[in-house]
Amino acid sequence: LTDGPLTGKHILVTSGPTHEPIDPVRYIANRSSGAQGTAIAVALRDLGADVSFVTGPADVPAPSGVRVIPVQTAREMQAAVEKALPADVAVFAAAVADWRVASQSGSKIKKQQGKLPVLEFSENPDILAGVSQMSEGRPRLVVGFAAETDDVIAHATAKRARKGCDWIVANDVSPDTGIMGGTENAVTLISERGAEEWPRMGKDEVAQQLAHRIVDYLAKK
Ligand code: C5P
């Protein structure tokens, strides 16, 4: 481990999409590449943190020098997070599927003439809200993300309150921004102090700035 201001701190990071199976060969997913979560894990590692990196099936490779815990589904991610705790800080950068297929088929669903399959959904557990609202052993700092396409600050501020996390890193993922799957990000940090808009910069730089803010926070409290 690198020596730095986060030496001795255990930080949990979730990243990537989740895959929710329909049957053994099909799944429902989303466009998260895992790039921002991976960059955050790297930035924290480089400041000396002991990082547990719980990642869904991402496009970008998991970094070295962190504890990589690969998962597929939201429920697997939740179990992995619970197992990785306690942590000093938890950063939830994963794009967790809101729903899973209620009863996945054990065998491949066959195409039938004149009959379309109908999928029913169940709600996935909200991992961020669960950890934010832990009555015992809550991380000192819980950071969530909010990918929004409109009214970014209002929605993210409401999300922070609803989930009970300390910070929300909000970004506009409208298709014309090129943020989802791209190398840059334009984020607003929502904290108890309000909304702070950061200039558009590389995802690596967003990660480094966030890591430094985490250092400051832990030093103050
Ligand atoms: O509610 P929404 O999905 O917009 O919230 C996004 C934030 O909540 C992200 O930090 C994401 O990692 C986290 N989340 C979670 N578990 C879910 C859904 C979202 O941890 N089931």
Side-chain angles (χ1 to χ4, degrees):
L1 291 178
T2 320
D3 232 6
L6 294 175
T7 297
K9 301 290 185 235
H10 178 215
I11 305 191
L12 170 70
V13 179
T14 72
S15 184
T18 63
H19 283 186
E20 307 296 333
I22 297 169
D23 68 18
V25 299
R26 304 184 179 98
Y27 59 84
I28 290 170
N30 62 65
R31 294 189 191 282
S32 166
S33 63
Q36 187 62 79
T38 300
I40 290 166
V42 166
L44 295 167
R45 174 200 72 189
D46 289 346
L47 294 178
D50 169 19
V51 177
S52 291
F53 185 67
V54 178
T55 178
D59 295 338
V60 298
S64 59
V66 305
R67 193 177 302 103
V68 180
I69 305 144
V71 298
Q72 296 280 328
T73 68
R75 288 198 292 179
E76 285 170 22
M77 184 170 278
Q78 180 187 42
V81 163
E82 283 169 2
K83 206 168 158 204
L85 290 175
D88 297 282
V89 177
V91 181
F92 292 89
V96 183
D98 292 313
W99 312 285
R100 64 177 176 277
V101 177
S103 47
Q104 49 170 292
S105 170
S107 54
K108 186 182 170 196
I109 300 170
K110 292 277 179 281
K111 192 154 76 178
Q112 279 180 284
Q113 196 75 55
K115 190 169 175 272
L116 295 171
V118 175
L119 294 178
E120 281 194 53
F121 290 90
S122 301
E123 202 165 315
N124 271 330
D126 191 320
I127 308 167
L128 168 64
V131 170
S132 296
Q133 294 165 30
M134 281 170 70
S135 50
E136 257 174 79
R138 182 191 190 274
R140 281 162 69 188
L141 177 66
V142 179
V143 184
F145 275 69
E148 310 283 356
T149 54
D150 56 287
D151 274 337
V152 175
I153 293 178
H155 282 135
T157 302
K159 188 163 293 180
R160 174 177 176 270
R162 192 167 65 241
K163 305 241 185 191
C165 58
D166 302 294
W167 297 350
I168 286 269
V169 180
N171 55 8
D172 185 345
V173 293
S174 307
D176 58 320
T177 63
I179 283 172
M180 212 144 191
T183 58
E184 289 194 330
N185 207 349
V187 309
T188 300
L189 182 68
I190 314 278
S191 69
E192 79 285 0
R193 293 175 10 202
E196 184 187 304
E197 231 172 297
W198 293 4
R200 189 174 174 120
M201 57 182 115
K203 286 184 178 174
D204 291 353
E205 291 170 274
V206 169
Q208 286 157 18
Q209 301 259 9
L210 186 67
H212 281 108
R213 294 295 286 263
I214 290 172
V215 170
D216 292 346
Y217 182 91
L218 291 178
K220 267 189 225 123
K221 295 234 172 167

